[in-house]
Amino acid sequence: MPADAPGAIIYVVGASGVGKDTLLSGAQERLRDDPAFIFARRDITRPASPVGEQHREVTQEEFASLKVSGAYALSWHAHGNGYGILSLITDMASQGRVVIISGSRAALCEARDRFPGLSIVHITAPLAGLQKRLEQRGREAQPEIEDRIRRAEAYPVEGPDVHILSNDADVETGVRKFTQLLQSLAQRVPNGAK
């Protein structure tokens, strides 16, 4: 996407257990009637579930083929799975839309290279609450939970393009703060849909 594109891409990151999916889902519901905002759906090589992120399930083979064909604007691997964001997001941003991506801290440098003018939202939460949230979602065994907690501090997210949101209150408060931050970032977009 050219640096003077009229829209924007907002790249949302956070360690496992900070409540990123909950905040994204809540903000998407609040902004559903605002055509300026697009929440990019990810391709993931893990089974889809009625709980949590509503991603598009792809096989490892499909993921590899889509990546080679250039279908992804950004892709990465984490926790044994492939993640991909379809290239059509750049078209949406160039049409003045504000595209929100659920990203990975490990792919942050690549995202900055691919999308000039990127805004980054880093969702944080007190470490004491991470283990409880990870246990409640029931996707990982205890050693995997401990590994994710270690990873929470392993990838610093810094820079003038980073906006930190502490998800340290109830869900309603977190969703409201996150939605307001997205709207504030959208207002900074030159010539974009407001």
Side-chain angles (χ1 to χ4, degrees):
M1 183 178 72
D4 61 352
I9 295 178
I10 300 173
Y11 191 77
V12 183
V13 297
S16 295
V18 298
K20 181 175 72 165
D21 289 347
T22 299
L23 296 187
L24 282 164
S25 177
Q28 185 171 9
E29 178 63 23
R30 283 183 172 219
L31 296 169
R32 71 178 182 271
D33 295 328
D34 188 335
F37 292 92
I38 298 291
F39 288 76
R41 189 174 181 191
R42 301 193 295 185
D43 284 3
I44 307 179
T45 59
R46 79 165 175 250
S49 167
V51 179
E53 177 184 359
Q54 300 302 301
H55 66 275
R56 186 174 79 135
E57 179 183 343
V58 295
T59 66
Q60 292 284 357
E61 294 76 18
E62 289 170 328
F63 178 81
S65 176
L66 287 163
K67 184 174 179 179
V68 168
S69 73
Y72 293 134
L74 184 68
S75 63
W76 64 92
H77 281 87
H79 311 296
N81 292 303
Y83 295 76
I85 306 293
L86 291 172
S87 294
L88 59 87
I89 65 160
T90 56
D91 295 335
M92 293 175 183
S94 69
Q95 294 165 8
R97 311 293 284 278
V98 178
V99 180
I100 295 101
I101 297 173
S102 176
S104 167
R105 293 169 297 156
L108 182 54
C109 289
E110 184 179 356
R112 280 175 164 146
D113 288 344
R114 294 272 174 104
F115 312 122
L118 185 71
S119 292
I120 298 153
V121 175
H122 182 205
I123 298 171
T124 64
L127 284 176
L130 293 182
Q131 180 153 352
K132 181 177 179 184
R133 287 179 178 171
L134 290 169
E135 289 171 347
Q136 287 176 338
R137 75 181 188 180
R139 280 201 328 229
E140 301 92 2
Q142 192 61 37
E144 293 170 307
I145 289 173
E146 291 168 5
D147 180 57
R148 285 181 182 261
I149 290 172
R150 280 191 296 275
R151 284 174 51 90
E153 297 179 304
Y155 290 99
V157 180
E158 300 169 335
D161 53 358
V162 176
H163 307 271
I164 296 174
L165 177 75
S166 179
N167 188 20
D168 56 2
D170 59 275
V171 171
E172 179 62 26
T173 300
V175 168
R176 178 178 47 78
K177 286 169 45 179
F178 181 53
T179 304
Q180 289 172 345
L181 177 55
L182 295 178
Q183 291 170 321
S184 173
L185 292 173
Q187 291 297 321
R188 300 177 191 187
V189 176
N191 308 317
K194 304 283 195 282

